[in-house]
Amino acid sequence: MKMLRILCGSIAFCALLLTQHNVLAQANESLRSVEQAQQVLPRAPRLPRAAFLEARTLVAVQLSPTGDFVAYLREQKDSRALWLLPTDGGKARPLAGSTQADQVMWSRDGRWLFLRGSRSLGIVGVDGRAGVRVPLGGIEQRRVMQLDRSQPAAVLLRERVRVGKGERWRIVRMDVHGKRTLLREDAHWIHDVALDAQGRIVALARFEGDHDALHRVRADGSLRKVLRLRPMERLDLLAARADGSLLMTGNPDSTAPGGDFRRVMRLDADDRLQTLHQDPRGEADLDEVALDPRTQMPLAASYRSTVAATYGIGDAQATVAAITRKFPGRDIGLQVGGGPSAHWLVSERAATLRDARLYLYDPRNGDVRRILDEPGITTGVPDETALARKIAVSYVASDGLRVHGFVLLPPGVDAARAPLIAQVHGGPISHFRAGYDGTAQFLANRGYVVFQSNFRGSTGHGRAYTFASNGDYGNGRVQRDIVEGVRWLLAQGIGDANRVGIVGHSFGGYSTLLGLTFQPELFKVGVAGAPPADLGWGMRWLVQSGDQGDLPDRSLQHTLRALSLDATDPATYARLHAQSPQANAMKMQRPLLIMAGGADRTVAIREVIHYSATLKSLGRPVTLLVEPGGGHSPVEPIPREAYLFAMETMLQRHLGGPVPEAPGQRLRAYLRENLRLAGPEFTAFAKK
């Protein structure tokens, strides 16, 4: 502390340093106390792999606008059905016996349900009547934009129209009977709109070739630009108010005080931005907002990039505070019924809850009542006591930046003697949240401490944090954040320094390859899912050939250029290639497991195979498992189980831990057929 005061060059800077020091000291003390509390708990029973495959029974749950019903999609055996539960305590009844939908939206009048899937939109009345069915995707790239809250029962669709060799985009209103009304046609891709009470588009956000922009729409249809957004500035329109103001979420004008973070905002009629709510801790982007279904006014805001917290907004502060007090230490999600006596739907979430617990809150008396907890729905959900606490942590990198992350501590395990796994998220434009993570919990259940770094370049902590990477995604600053986080944990007495591994998928897989290549003294083994072995080549392929290339929603290439990751630039390509695992394959010595999909359109399978073949030719210890026809991540049950089994086998062999449960006949056959390269850990499954 004395040294900190000596180093301060000004009172303000000294205050900043001392505040950061105190925050980190408190966090470290909290980590130590939690670790001690976890260690004295009984050792968790080992759960079967199937418990971590996240095959949830409830796919989607939505409260009606009046708070009278809860609609939900329920998985039963091989079918998915739509059910309706009265909130007054009556019995649930099925509305649609078979659907492929994964999202549910209520019409404003509460008489219809829109069932949205990847390929179609279905409509069902609460009385069992069927509305029209609309195909999605296709050559028109038709998508459901949002519910049309200006109408009793309608949605807004976005469709592409071919014009010669070009294209235009239409915003169409469609009611439950299939009646269509064209609201706007535009040469630019419109990603959001706001409607007035008469159903006229009064504001829109669109991509304009190299940037996003927010426009007000005049009565004659002409536009007036209000905001020009910089890369990684985003906004979502919530509602247009009668006074001419717009309610929105996002981080436009990120140069303004507090504007760096995603927040709840109001743009008044004079185009002045006001912040209605942002993270009081100054650490996290807005994750979710709950709206009044009658007025579309924001009532609650949730933040989940560090310690999960939900806060009330305006007149709802007391109500939200009363609800959160009933669930101390939990992550709360809210859906609001319209009117002072209407029920609210409360979702209780936690890192130790695979599936959220659902309750109805009665604002008249403050009571909460659990719903949808019958055995047919909750069967197979892991007991909380078998899962690991997930602790938000932060540490100071070697250049002084405060870096965020999480640590999962297995109950009943001496963390100082446990193997430590660094789990790296994909993206890298993504981040770990405070909630449940199946892979991390699977590893913790096997006795591993799991560290999840939200390294600089991650989202969730403001735009400046994302751009703090300065494009250094090779063996540079981003990787050092991960490495320094591991070393910081070891210095706190968390993890056995002789048993450290690294795992990840997509960008996380790339980081795994980097770790084994350039930090072999730290990482003893790695598991990489769908890893680009040369980020420069991989980014160039993604833009030119992959499914996530220059899409109409916003240009990936412009985003990559802003992040200094545009590999179409020769200098950027050369820099990333020189630091790539592919170009430094000779340095790889540690055992490695690679898993990939044969039809991946995000990371080219030929890149994965080329790297694996290079390692094999050099005599390096590598195993390659490829899912035929698989995409970027495994979806079907057997490939997903194979992912966990292969990971567990690899880590157990090199870091210790319990021997994996024997694979069943189908899993054994899958491994035998799809192991392209079998290292010594998998010789029992190699083809003879």
Side-chain angles (χ1 to χ4, degrees):
M1 185 73 72
K2 182 178 179 181
M3 181 61 68
L4 278 176
R5 292 194 178 97
I6 293 173
L7 292 174
C8 290
S10 69
I11 294 177
F13 185 59
C14 185
L16 178 63
L17 283 177
L18 291 174
T19 298
Q20 179 167 281
H21 172 84
N22 291 334
V23 169
L24 292 174
Q26 293 172 6
N28 295 350
E29 186 62 34
S30 175
L31 176 61
R32 284 190 287 270
S33 64
V34 171
E35 189 276 327
Q36 293 168 2
Q38 288 294 100
Q39 185 176 338
V40 299
L41 292 175
R43 183 70 181 262
R46 187 166 62 151
L47 300 177
R49 286 186 296 273
F52 300 95
L53 296 181
E54 302 184 44
R56 292 182 171 89
T57 303
L58 295 180
V59 179
V61 183
Q62 284 294 127
L63 181 70
S64 67
T66 55
D68 294 333
F69 293 98
V70 173
Y72 59 97
L73 294 172
R74 179 177 177 178
E75 203 83 59
Q76 290 180 282
K77 295 184 178 179
D78 295 327
S79 66
R80 183 176 298 173
L82 172 67
W83 289 71
L84 197 64
L85 175 72
T87 58
D88 63 5
K91 291 185 177 181
R93 59 185 174 91
L95 277 183
S98 180
T99 176
Q100 297 300 312
D102 51 27
Q103 290 180 296
V104 177
M105 296 186 298
W106 281 91
S107 64
R108 192 196 70 187
D109 62 12
R111 297 171 56 194
W112 296 88
L113 289 151
F114 297 92
L115 310 180
R116 180 165 59 182
S118 60
R119 297 182 179 180
S120 67
L121 172 71
I123 304 173
V124 179
V126 295
D127 57 3
R129 288 181 296 164
V132 297
R133 187 178 186 86
V134 181
L136 301 178
I139 193 171
E140 298 93 354
Q141 296 189 13
R142 184 180 295 117
R143 292 288 183 270
V144 178
M145 290 187 70
Q146 62 189 56
L147 183 72
D148 185 346
R149 300 186 186 278
S150 72
Q151 306 297 309
V155 292
L156 298 183
L157 305 174
R158 181 181 54 239
E159 302 173 342
R160 182 176 67 174
V161 181
R162 289 289 191 184
V163 181
K165 294 184 179 180
E167 60 187 18
R168 295 178 65 81
W169 297 90
R170 288 177 176 172
I171 309 300
V172 177
R173 170 184 297 129
M174 190 194 74
D175 68 14
V176 294
H177 305 295
K179 180 182 177 182
R180 293 164 53 91
T181 305
L182 177 63
L183 300 185
R184 186 173 186 87
E185 184 174 310
D186 202 294
H188 297 285
W189 190 90
I190 300 173
H191 62 80
D192 206 359
V193 298
L195 308 178
D196 63 14
Q198 291 71 46
R200 186 179 68 88
I201 296 177
V202 294
L204 61 85
R206 68 183 189 180
F207 179 65
E208 300 187 342
D210 62 355
H211 68 280
D212 283 332
L214 174 67
H215 296 264
R216 290 190 184 271
V217 184
R218 301 185 181 96
D220 63 0
S222 61
L223 302 179
R224 178 170 64 83
K225 184 178 289 191
V226 178
L227 293 171
R228 177 191 172 105
L229 305 184
R230 299 186 298 167
M232 299 303 293
E233 288 184 340
R234 300 287 185 262
L235 65 81
D236 294 297
L237 296 167
L238 300 177
R241 307 284 293 162
D243 62 3
S245 64
L246 298 172
L247 300 176
M248 64 182 70
T249 64
N251 62 343
D253 191 17
S254 59
T255 59
D260 184 53
F261 290 93
R262 182 175 172 83
R263 60 207 189 277
V264 187
M265 294 166 294
R266 176 179 181 269
L267 184 73
D268 67 20
D270 295 325
D271 297 336
R272 292 174 298 187
L273 269 176
Q274 302 171 355
T275 295
L276 301 182
H277 202 277
Q278 66 184 63
D279 179 23
R281 298 165 61 97
E283 295 178 337
D285 285 324
L286 176 73
D287 189 67
E288 187 177 34
V289 61
L291 305 176
D292 186 319
R294 301 166 303 164
T295 65
Q296 294 301 289
M297 288 295 294
L299 300 183
S302 298
Y303 305 85
R304 299 186 173 98
S305 303
T306 54
V307 177
T310 295
Y311 306 91
I313 300 175
D315 294 339
Q317 291 182 64
T319 300
V320 174
I323 294 173
T324 57
R325 281 196 297 269
K326 295 179 181 293
F327 302 92
R330 297 299 206 177
D331 175 11
I332 300 301
L334 298 173
Q335 295 181 34
V336 183
S341 61
H343 285 93
W344 289 28
L345 180 66
V346 181
S347 302
E348 177 192 7
R349 310 166 185 173
T352 51
L353 289 177
R354 190 191 74 178
D355 300 345
R357 293 172 181 163
L358 299 166
Y359 303 83
L360 289 172
Y361 169 78
D362 190 336
R364 296 169 296 185
N365 52 29
D367 290 343
V368 293
R369 171 169 55 90
R370 190 170 177 188
I371 61 171
L372 302 179
D373 59 340
E374 61 261 31
I377 292 177
T378 59
T379 299
V381 175
D383 190 291
E384 272 202 89
T385 60
L387 301 181
R389 285 281 305 275
K390 189 174 187 179
I391 314 303
V393 297
S394 60
Y395 53 98
V396 177
S398 55
D399 65 350
L401 182 72
R402 184 184 177 197
V403 181
H404 301 278
F406 297 95
V407 175
L408 285 85
L409 298 173
V413 170
D414 181 357
R417 300 183 179 182
L420 172 62
I421 305 298
Q423 182 189 17
V424 186
H425 67 69
I429 312 303
S430 181
H431 64 281
F432 288 113
R433 291 174 171 81
Y436 178 83
D437 183 304
T439 299
Q441 288 291 356
F442 171 74
L443 294 174
N445 184 251
R446 270 53 180 165
Y448 300 101
V449 172
V450 181
F451 168 55
Q452 299 178 326
S453 174
N454 278 335
F455 47 83
R456 75 190 71 195
S458 302
T459 52
H461 299 284
R463 182 179 180 275
Y465 192 83
T466 301
F467 277 90
S469 63
N470 291 320
D472 199 1
Y473 288 98
N475 182 36
R477 186 62 260 178
V478 168
Q479 187 73 6
R480 282 200 296 276
D481 280 356
I482 299 165
V483 171
E484 290 172 1
V486 172
R487 296 195 186 282
W488 171 79
L489 273 180
L490 294 172
Q492 307 303 311
I494 306 294
D496 180 349
N498 295 314
R499 295 193 294 162
V500 179
I502 182 169
V503 304
H505 196 88
S506 196
F507 179 83
Y510 168 70
S511 177
T512 296
L513 304 186
L514 287 174
L516 298 189
T517 302
F518 295 107
Q519 293 92 34
E521 76 289 350
L522 178 63
F523 300 114
K524 308 304 189 294
V525 62
V527 178
D534 183 336
L535 194 61
W537 188 93
M539 291 295 98
R540 180 180 291 181
W541 179 86
L542 184 61
V543 169
Q544 296 175 347
S545 304
D547 281 348
Q548 298 180 35
D550 283 327
L551 299 175
D553 53 345
R554 58 180 52 89
S555 170
L556 174 65
Q557 188 167 348
H558 288 294
T559 301
L560 295 176
R561 185 173 299 136
L563 294 170
S564 300
L565 274 176
D566 178 15
T568 62
D569 170 57
T572 300
Y573 182 92
R575 170 174 57 85
L576 293 173
H577 174 72
Q579 298 183 34
S580 71
Q582 179 68 57
N584 292 276
M586 284 288 296
K587 298 179 181 179
M588 171 69 78
Q589 299 291 338
R590 292 298 187 185
L592 169 66
L593 165 66
I594 297 176
M595 295 179 281
D600 191 342
R601 297 294 300 162
T602 300
V603 175
I605 186 62
R606 58 176 167 155
E607 178 182 6
V608 176
I609 291 176
H610 177 58
Y611 176 67
S612 302
T614 301
L615 292 182
K616 181 67 175 177
S617 69
L618 294 171
R620 301 302 191 258
V622 59
T623 293
L624 174 62
L625 177 64
V626 177
E627 178 189 0
H632 191 52
S633 301
V635 175
E636 298 302 320
I638 292 299
R640 290 168 65 200
E641 185 183 0
Y643 198 102
L644 293 183
F645 173 77
M647 177 184 294
E648 182 183 15
T649 298
M650 196 73 180
L651 297 179
Q652 188 276 332
R653 180 69 65 90
H654 297 282
L655 301 180
V659 176
E661 61 182 295
Q665 184 177 355
R666 292 181 62 196
L667 178 54
R668 184 176 290 273
Y670 177 87
L671 294 169
R672 187 166 51 250
E673 289 297 319
N674 299 308
L675 277 168
R676 301 286 187 90
L677 294 174
E681 305 85 358
F682 297 92
T683 53
F685 306 104
K687 287 185 179 181
K688 303 301 183 183

